[in-house]
Amino acid sequence: MPPRPAVLTKRTLDKDLDKITHAEDVAKHVLRRLVAPGLGLIFVGLAMLFAGVYVFDRPGAMLVVAAAALAGYMAMNIGANDVTNNVGAAVGARAMTMGQALVIAAIFEVLGATVAGGEVVKTISANIVDAVQVSPVLLGWIMMAALMAAALWINLATWMNAPVSTTHAIVGAVIGAGISAVGPEPVNWQVMLEITSSWITSPLIGGLIAAGLLYLVKTLIIYRDDKVAAAQRWVPVLVAVMAGGFMAYMVLQLSPPGRFPPLTVLFIGIGIGLVSWLAARPLVLAQARALENRNSSLRTLFRLPLIGSAALLSFAHGANDVSNAVGPLSAIVHSVGIGGGGIGHPPLWVMLIGAFGISVGLLLFGPRLIRLVGEEITKLNPMRAYCVALSTAFTVIVASWLGVPVSTTHIAVGSVFGVGFFREWYTRHSKRRIAYIRRKAESFDIDEPEEPNIHETRRRYLVRRSHFMTIVAAWIVTVPVSAALAAMIYWVMFALFV
């Protein structure tokens, strides 16, 4: 008896179609995770092609093209890890969306790097390892190993959700590769000592300034009976302080050392601050007219200043930290006899690789650490986030004034921790806050729904200790790990290619 033919029923067909749909969904999910690495790989290829156009007929062209790929990779890691500190607080405070933050930071990072980034490349490319004591060919291989080591360490730190200093990573890598190549003599140990001291001082100073600013905001605005009127008086002052401080910072960072005496920089900052106060006062008064006497109204008044501070921080970061990617590339370009103007003056195409690489890394890989800095360490609102931004600016300005090398990452994250730990202390010890909440409770008009119970907040930690320990540990090991990794990479490169 012949077998009965299979009958394709509607139910069987639906099951088969469901299986196909499920397989397509799984494939899309897997492919979506590969989009960002794929686009990053495309950018690295474009960086190599871009460099090849300029050096294809020159001796040492292959070394420069390979270095351009590593510089592009390093720049993307800087964008993924370091730029998050500029906009993380604003995103965490919900002053801007993730998309807005990514676009604003990307634009201002490119502007800062291309317009004002050339003057800060010399330290990385020539001052850490004395270029006079090292042959050009050897210097090129030292910088290749340093680029690869620093980029790999920053990539690993980003994967571990640890915002680290890209400056410390590249400095440690250059030192490690330099020692493995020529010994410790050409290393500038004074620079290394200053950078090591900044590990401790810069985040502490940033945290203390942020805590002090938040204390002033709470005392002068938040816990006043008529907080909108208090904000009308003090928000323009804070805007003026921010604008004047950023202008002083830009003058210090973008002008040649010693061009402007400290008193001149101070007067420039005061002048810009006064103009900003005159411009901000009518805008704040107009914005405050329709607002109720609530904390949510204060968040509205602090939103635009916070966005402005994020944009200015991104510009300053692009001008300063692009050197971490293009400094070694600049040294390699000059080591093979390409480019002019001295080792500290990179060609424009070198700056463009660094500038666009930072923005590409931010757009592709930045959101994860932006959420960590802005949302997961401690709870931020526009007032607290503004204190973080202002503290970061002031600490960098003072350090630049004193000539102390610091990390924007350490200062910004230290400021976030400072705000969180100050909130813990203030919650437990502030008589003004406790009296304010009790007064509101008695009038059935509690204005802090996130902290309705005084006794509960006394027992609550407002900073996540796990993130604190992870980040501090990553800070401590950045220079030694990147140095050891660079030394190993140099030995491998020397054995294979030299």
Side-chain angles (χ1 to χ4, degrees):
M1 185 174 182
R4 296 176 62 183
V7 179
L8 188 63
T9 64
K10 184 176 184 300
R11 185 176 179 182
T12 304
L13 182 61
D14 289 341
K15 287 182 178 180
D16 292 339
L17 291 176
D18 287 341
K19 291 178 181 179
I20 295 174
T21 303
H22 181 67
E24 290 177 348
D25 291 339
V26 171
K28 288 179 181 179
H29 179 72
V30 172
L31 291 175
R32 191 180 299 118
R33 300 181 63 179
L34 299 177
V35 169
L39 292 175
L41 189 61
I42 290 173
F43 173 78
V44 171
L46 291 175
M48 296 175 66
L49 182 63
F50 193 48
V53 170
Y54 286 91
V55 302
F56 72 96
D57 59 344
R58 306 288 186 89
M62 292 301 296
L63 180 64
V64 173
V65 170
L70 290 177
Y73 175 51
M74 175 67 174
M76 284 194 296
N77 280 288
I78 293 173
N81 191 288
D82 218 14
V83 183
T84 58
N85 307 299
N86 305 332
V87 296
V91 173
R94 293 177 175 82
M96 65 176 76
T97 65
M98 180 68 73
Q100 292 169 339
L102 292 174
V103 171
I104 290 173
I107 292 173
F108 281 89
E109 286 283 339
V110 171
L111 288 176
T114 54
V115 173
E119 292 296 330
V120 293
V121 174
K122 188 175 181 180
T123 297
I124 301 298
S125 59
N127 286 356
I128 298 174
V129 173
D130 191 353
V132 176
Q133 301 184 44
V134 181
S135 67
V137 174
L138 201 58
L139 181 64
W141 287 107
I142 290 173
M143 292 300 173
M144 283 281 288
L147 268 176
M148 182 176 292
L152 288 173
W153 166 243
I154 298 168
N155 198 339
L156 178 62
T158 304
W159 178 76
M160 295 189 305
N161 279 347
V164 297
S165 170
T166 58
T167 304
H168 290 181
I170 192 64
V171 168
V174 172
I175 289 174
I179 291 176
S180 66
V182 293
E185 290 79 12
V187 176
N188 190 334
W189 292 107
Q190 180 64 32
V191 173
M192 184 59 196
L193 182 62
E194 292 175 351
I195 292 174
T196 302
S197 66
S198 73
W199 288 352
I200 301 173
T201 58
S202 60
L204 285 178
I205 293 172
L208 290 173
I209 294 177
L213 288 170
L214 185 58
Y215 175 78
L216 290 177
V217 170
K218 286 179 176 290
T219 302
L220 298 175
I221 301 176
I222 294 176
Y223 292 124
R224 294 285 180 177
D225 290 331
D226 191 350
K227 55 188 67 186
V228 173
Q232 289 174 340
R233 184 182 308 113
W234 289 107
V235 169
V237 175
L238 292 173
V239 171
V241 171
M242 178 191 72
F246 273 120
M247 180 54 65
Y249 170 69
M250 297 305 292
V251 171
L252 286 169
Q253 287 292 321
L254 306 183
S255 60
R259 181 173 181 179
F260 294 103
L263 195 60
T264 302
V265 176
L266 179 63
F267 281 128
I268 290 174
I270 292 174
I272 295 298
L274 182 59
V275 172
S276 302
W277 178 80
L278 293 173
R281 195 164 184 274
L283 294 176
V284 172
L285 291 175
Q287 195 176 23
R289 285 194 188 117
L291 297 178
E292 299 179 5
N293 189 32
R294 301 177 61 85
N295 280 356
S296 58
S297 301
L298 301 182
R299 296 184 181 100
T300 301
L301 293 176
F302 273 88
R303 183 173 180 270
L304 285 178
L306 184 55
I307 293 174
S309 68
L312 290 172
L313 265 177
S314 296
F315 183 92
H317 179 271
N320 188 68
D321 279 24
V322 69
S323 61
N324 298 334
V326 303
L329 177 58
S330 175
I332 293 169
V333 168
H334 287 281
S335 72
V336 297
I338 303 172
I343 195 171
H345 301 276
L348 178 61
W349 64 269
V350 171
M351 297 300 300
L352 289 175
I353 289 176
F356 284 99
I358 289 175
S359 294
V360 170
L362 171 67
L363 293 172
L364 295 180
F365 308 106
R368 192 163 78 172
L369 278 187
I370 287 177
R371 293 188 184 96
L372 171 69
V373 173
E375 300 175 7
E376 297 182 19
I377 294 176
T378 190
K379 185 177 180 180
L380 293 175
N381 59 24
M383 290 81 80
R384 299 167 196 153
Y386 189 78
C387 294
V388 170
L390 205 56
S391 170
T392 303
F394 279 157
T395 307
V396 172
I397 290 166
V398 172
S400 300
W401 211 322
L402 298 176
V404 179
V406 293
S407 165
T408 307
T409 301
H410 286 194
I411 297 169
V413 177
S415 299
V416 174
F417 280 123
V419 164
F421 286 125
F422 171 76
R423 289 180 63 215
E424 290 186 3
W425 177 89
Y426 197 82
T427 297
R428 295 182 177 90
H429 299 94
S430 173
K431 296 180 180 179
R432 176 188 292 272
R433 177 187 176 278
I434 294 172
Y436 173 85
I437 293 179
R438 283 175 176 164
R439 190 166 63 250
K440 288 294 183 181
E442 290 171 359
S443 63
F444 302 100
D445 188 24
I446 296 177
D447 202 21
E448 290 203 350
E450 73 273 12
E451 296 175 351
N453 189 310
I454 298 172
H455 301 291
E456 178 194 352
T457 55
R458 285 180 183 274
R459 298 192 301 266
R460 187 170 64 187
Y461 286 125
L462 301 179
V463 177
R464 292 185 64 176
R465 267 48 177 183
S466 60
H467 287 317
F468 177 76
M469 298 306 298
T470 300
I471 291 172
V472 170
W475 287 356
I476 292 173
V477 303
T478 289
V479 168
V481 168
S482 57
L485 186 59
M488 289 188 292
I489 291 174
Y490 174 81
W491 289 330
V492 172
M493 286 183 173
F494 188 85
L496 293 177
F497 303 110
V498 180

